[in-house]
Amino acid sequence: MAPITNGAPTDKKKRIAVMTSGGDSPGMNGATRAVVRMAIAQGCEAYGVFEGYEGLVEGGDLIKQMHWQDVRGWLSEGGTLIGTARCMAFTERPGRLRAAKNMIDKGINALVVCGGDGSLTGADTFRGEWPDLLEELLTKGEITAEQKKDFQYLNIVGLVGSIDNDFSDTDATIGCYSSLSRICEMVDYIDATASSHQRAFVIEVMGRHCGWLALMAGVSTGADFIFIPENPPSHNWEDQMCDIIQKHRQLGKRRTIVIVAEGAHDRILEKISPNKVKDLLSERLKLDTRITTLGHVQRGGTACSHDRMLSTLQGVEAVMAVLEATPETPSKFISVIENKIVRKPLIEAVESTKQVAEAIKSKDWDKAMELRGEEFAEYLSAYMTTTATDQPELRLPKEKRMRVALIHLGAPAGGMNSATRAAVAYCLTRGHSPIAIHNGFPGLVRHHDDKPIGAVRPVKWLDVEGWISRGGSEIGTNRDLPSKVGIKETADCFAQYEFDAVFMIGGFEAFTALSELRKARADHPSFRIPMMLLPATISNNVPGTEYSIGSDTCLNALISYCDAIKQSASASRRRVFVVETQGGRSGYIATMAGLGIGATAVYTPEEGVNIQMIARDIQHMQDSFAKDQGQSRAGKLILCNEHASDTYTTQVIAGMIKEESMGRFESRYAIPGHVAQGGTPSPMDRVRAVRLAVKCIQAIEDYGGWSKDDVMAAEMSMAVIGIKGASIVLGPMERLEREETNWKERRPKDESWLRYKKIVDTLSGRPKQDDCCERCGKKR
C-alpha cells in the first residue's frame, strides 16, 4: 500500500493546477501563463500538469509547482510547453483513482483544463466521480479522513483549445483564428500562382465534423465553392459547382479556388474528396487543376493576436471562476460570444457538440446548422450571397432596388476592401446598383465629372472580385469632411447622381461626416436617404462599437513587430524597449497589444503619464532585473500610445529609464509608425468585414420604396453598425452623437476595453499605485 502523504498546504493557500490535453492549438501557452500568473496574483499556488491526463495519472514530477518566472515569454511560443498526450488509463476508473490520489498528494483541488470536447468531458466525469474516488482511497487507507475532508470538493473549469472551432456555445476556440490565418496565408500564396497560370486549386483543410475552417477560409479568400459537413451541397452539386465556376471564368476570372473540409460529404453521406472535385474540374471544365492538402501546417506556429488575447482573458476568467465556485456550482467552461467573455455550463455544451455529429449522421442538416449557432449560419448566408451574384431568385422587385453609394473616409484600415467587395457582391445579387465614390468627399465634389473617368463610378463584380485580401483602400480614402468641401456641393452631387443610399466605411472622420450629413438633412432633401457606417479604423475609437475593422490587422502587425523587438531585447540581456503605438487618443491598440506580448507597462491617453508612474515602473524593472539569475527571455517591453503624454514622449521615457537604470540595464525606443496600418488584412478583419457589410446593406434595404420624409423621420435610417458585448447592434446616429461620444478626445465616452488594462498590469507584476509612495512613486 502506498504511504499516506498529506499534500494539503499548511498555510491553506488554494492550489490551482492547469493542464493542456488533446490536440495542441496556438494560444494554449498563453492560457497556461494567464492561469499561473493570475493564480499567484490572487494569493494561490499554481501547478502545471505536464503531458495532459497522462501526467495526472502518473503524478510525481509530471505535476510541478509553477512560479511567476516559469511562464515568462510563453505568449510568443507555439504548441503547448507543458505537453499533451493521449491517455487511455484515464478513461478507466482505476486511472482516475490514481489521478485523484496524485492531486491530493500535491494538495490540489482545482483544475483548469484546456482542450477539446473529449478532454473537457473527461474532466467533468472526473469531478462527478470525485466523492466516490475519495471514499475508495480512504477505504484503501491511501488518504486520511482529514484529507478527505480538506479535499471533498473538486472545482473544474474548462478552456476550449481547438483549431477546428467545433465546440458549441462559443463563437471561437483558442487556436481557431491562428489556424485560419495559416490557411488564408497559404491560399493567398496559391491564389497568385493560380492566377498566373489560370489554374484551379482544390484545397483540403481540417475539420472532420466541423466546417468552420472551410467556411471562414471561403469567406476570407473569396473561394468559388466550399464543402462543409453541416450543410452539404444539393444532390446536383456537380452541376451547381461547375455552373458557378464557369460563369466566373466567363466574367474574366483567371483562377479558381475550391475549399474542401476533410469531413465533407454529400447529402447521402458519401465522401466528397479533393480528388473527386479535381477530376470534375479537369474533365468537365477542362481546367488545369491541382490539389493542395495543408495538413498540420494549420496547427503549428505562434498564436495570432486574437488567440493570444482570447487565451489570456479566458485564463484569467478561469481562475476567477475557480475562486468564486461553490460546491454546488456545476462545471463551467469559458466562452466568448462576439466580444464578451462569459462562463457557461460545461456539460450542456459538450452534449450540444456531440449532437452536431449525431445530426449530421442522421442527415438532419437544419438541426446541425442550428446547433452551430447564429454566427455560423450568418457567415454561410453571407458567403452564399456574395460568391455568386447571378441568383435570380434573390433579386428584389424593381421598385425596391436602389442606387447605393460606397465611400471610404479617414485613414486606411485592413478590411476596407473586403467590406466593399462584400457590399458590391450583395448589391448585385439583390439587383441594386453599387456606385463607388473614389477618394472620399473631395473626389465626389471636385472630381465627380472628370474626363475620361470621374470619381463616381458604377462597380461590376469583376472590379472587386480580387479585393478580399487586399490592404489599404482600392477606391481611395480621404480625411476631408463634407463641411470642408461644401455641404451644398455635396448635396448637389447626391442629387445629381440620384443616390438612394450611402454605405460609409471608415473611422472617426466617417462618424463625424455622417453626423454632418444628418444635421444637414433639414436643408438638403438629397441627404434624406438611409446611410450606414461600418467602423474601420486601427484606433478602434468609433462610438457605437467595441470592435472596428482593421484593428485586428493592426494588432497582428504590431505584435509581430514587438516579438522581434523583444527577441532582440532578450538576446542583448537586460534591455528595455519603449515602443510607440498609434491609436490617436484611444489606448485600445496599446492595451490589447500589451495583453498579446506581455508588456511590462502600457501608457495610454485615458490614464495619462506622470513622473510617479514612470518612477514606479523603473523601480519595478530594477527589482525584476536584480532577481534575474540567468533566465532566458529577460528583455522587457513598454508600450506607449503616441498621445499618452505631450511631455513624456516615447523618446523621453526611454531616456529617463536609461538614466535611472544606473548601468544595470539598457533602454531603447522603437517607433513602428505606419507599419501597423498596412499589409494584408487579417482573417478576422476579412470575415467580420463581410458579415457586417452584408448586414449594413440589409439594413439599407428596409427603406426601399420609402419617401424621403419617412426616411428622415426614421431614427435608424442613419446608423452605425457595431459589436457590443455579445451582440451585433445598429446604433442611431442622433443618440450616439448625444450620449456616447467624447468629441474633444475623438473616442467613445465608455470604452469597454479599459477593464483589460488592469489585467495587463496584473500579469506583468506591475506594482499597484496604492502600494507606492504618492510623492516619489516608488514602492513602499
Side-chain angles (χ1 to χ4, degrees), residues 226-505:
I226 63 171
F227 293 93
I228 60 175
E230 298 90 342
N231 190 51
S234 59
H235 65 280
N236 63 334
W237 65 267
E238 294 96 336
D239 296 335
Q240 182 187 12
M241 181 185 71
C242 289
D243 183 53
I244 288 173
I245 291 172
Q246 192 166 43
K247 285 177 180 176
H248 287 176
R249 290 284 178 154
Q250 289 169 352
L251 287 169
K253 190 174 182 181
R254 290 178 56 87
R255 69 216 182 273
T256 297
I257 300 291
V258 177
I259 296 179
V260 183
E262 62 180 320
H265 49 73
D266 59 21
R267 291 194 167 251
I268 59 173
L269 299 181
E270 286 190 8
K271 182 174 176 59
I272 297 176
S273 68
N275 278 312
K276 188 172 185 178
V277 177
K278 172 187 178 293
D279 292 342
L280 196 62
L281 296 178
S282 299
E283 295 168 10
R284 189 179 296 191
L285 298 182
K286 308 302 181 187
L287 295 177
D288 181 6
T289 308
R290 308 294 169 89
I291 293 174
T292 298
T293 300
L294 297 181
H296 281 74
V297 71
Q298 299 162 81
R299 190 180 291 281
T302 60
C304 67
S305 165
H306 179 266
D307 279 328
R308 294 191 192 192
M309 292 182 291
L310 180 66
S311 61
T312 297
L313 295 175
Q314 289 191 338
V316 167
E317 185 67 16
V319 172
M320 300 312 297
V322 164
L323 296 178
E324 294 168 13
T326 66
E328 293 75 30
T329 305
S331 297
K332 300 284 187 181
F333 84 101
I334 311 302
S335 164
V336 59
I337 304 297
E338 297 298 352
N339 229 37
K340 187 175 182 181
I341 304 293
V342 294
R343 303 174 195 174
K344 290 201 169 186
L346 173 60
I347 199 62
E348 285 88 338
V350 169
E351 288 303 315
S352 294
T353 303
K354 292 178 180 178
Q355 287 174 23
V356 177
E358 292 169 3
I360 292 172
K361 189 176 180 180
S362 61
K363 305 175 190 175
D364 190 346
W365 315 121
D366 291 340
K367 182 68 173 177
M369 287 297 298
E370 179 188 340
L371 290 167
R372 280 287 176 238
E374 181 181 356
E375 184 188 60
F376 190 91
E378 286 185 2
Y379 275 120
L380 180 59
S381 175
Y383 173 78
M384 298 302 290
T385 53
T386 58
T387 192
T389 59
D390 186 15
Q391 302 181 64
E393 69 279 6
L394 296 180
R395 286 206 185 97
L396 294 170
K398 288 187 178 180
E399 64 273 14
K400 294 279 190 179
R401 298 177 190 175
M402 309 168 83
R403 288 172 57 81
V404 181
L406 311 168
I407 185 169
H408 294 178
L409 277 87
M416 277 184 159
N417 293 321
S418 306
T420 304
R421 175 189 179 276
V424 168
Y426 183 85
C427 283
L428 294 173
T429 299
R430 302 286 279 170
H432 304 305
S433 299
I435 301 156
I437 299 174
H438 289 251
N439 301 315
F441 283 106
L444 172 66
V445 172
R446 300 169 188 160
H447 304 287
H448 65 93
D449 57 355
D450 284 1
K451 304 298 180 184
I453 301 175
V456 180
R457 307 174 198 169
V459 191
K460 299 178 182 178
W461 180 80
L462 192 62
D463 296 334
V464 300
E465 190 281 321
W467 289 11
I468 190 75
S469 59
R470 292 188 190 175
S473 167
E474 288 295 310
I475 65 173
T477 183
N478 196 292
R479 294 179 183 272
D480 288 352
L481 302 173
S483 57
K484 183 170 183 178
V485 300
I487 292 289
K488 182 181 181 303
E489 291 78 2
T490 303
D492 290 343
C493 287
F494 272 45
Q496 178 180 340
Y497 290 98
E498 300 179 322
F499 296 150
D500 297 313
V502 174
F503 176 42
M504 211 175 279
I505 304 172

Side-chain angles (χ1 to χ4, degrees), residues 685-742:
D685 277 335
R686 297 189 209 182
V687 297
R688 283 191 167 176
V690 170
R691 184 186 182 198
L692 297 178
V694 168
K695 279 186 171 290
C696 282
I697 305 301
Q698 289 172 339
I700 285 172
E701 286 179 333
D702 291 341
Y703 300 95
W706 285 35
S707 70
K708 289 187 177 294
D709 288 341
D710 287 342
V711 171
M712 182 176 174
E715 181 186 43
M716 299 298 294
S717 64
M718 271 194 171
V720 176
I721 195 168
I723 297 174
K724 282 192 169 184
S727 304
I728 292 179
V729 297
L730 282 170
M733 272 301 297
E734 192 278 331
R735 179 177 61 77
L736 294 177
E737 295 170 44
R738 174 171 38 87
E739 298 179 5
E740 298 189 21
T741 306
N742 182 339

Side-chain angles (χ1 to χ4, degrees), residues 25-27 162-165 170-185 212-213 216-217 220 298 300 302-308 310 336 338 375 379 547 552 556 682-689 691 723:
S25 61
S162 167
I163 66 166
D164 296 335
N165 199 18
T170 186
D171 286 346
T173 56
I174 294 170
C176 69
Y177 273 100
S178 297
S179 180
L180 181 61
S181 297
R182 306 285 179 273
I183 294 170
C184 290
E185 185 179 10
W212 188 87
L213 284 175
M216 294 308 211
S220 53
Q298 299 162 81
T302 60
C304 67
S305 165
H306 179 266
D307 279 328
R308 294 191 192 192
L310 180 66
V336 59
E338 297 298 352
E375 184 188 60
Y379 275 120
Y547 176 90
D552 186 67
N556 276 291
S682 71
M684 170 168 278
D685 277 335
R686 297 189 209 182
V687 297
R688 283 191 167 176
R691 184 186 182 198
I723 297 174

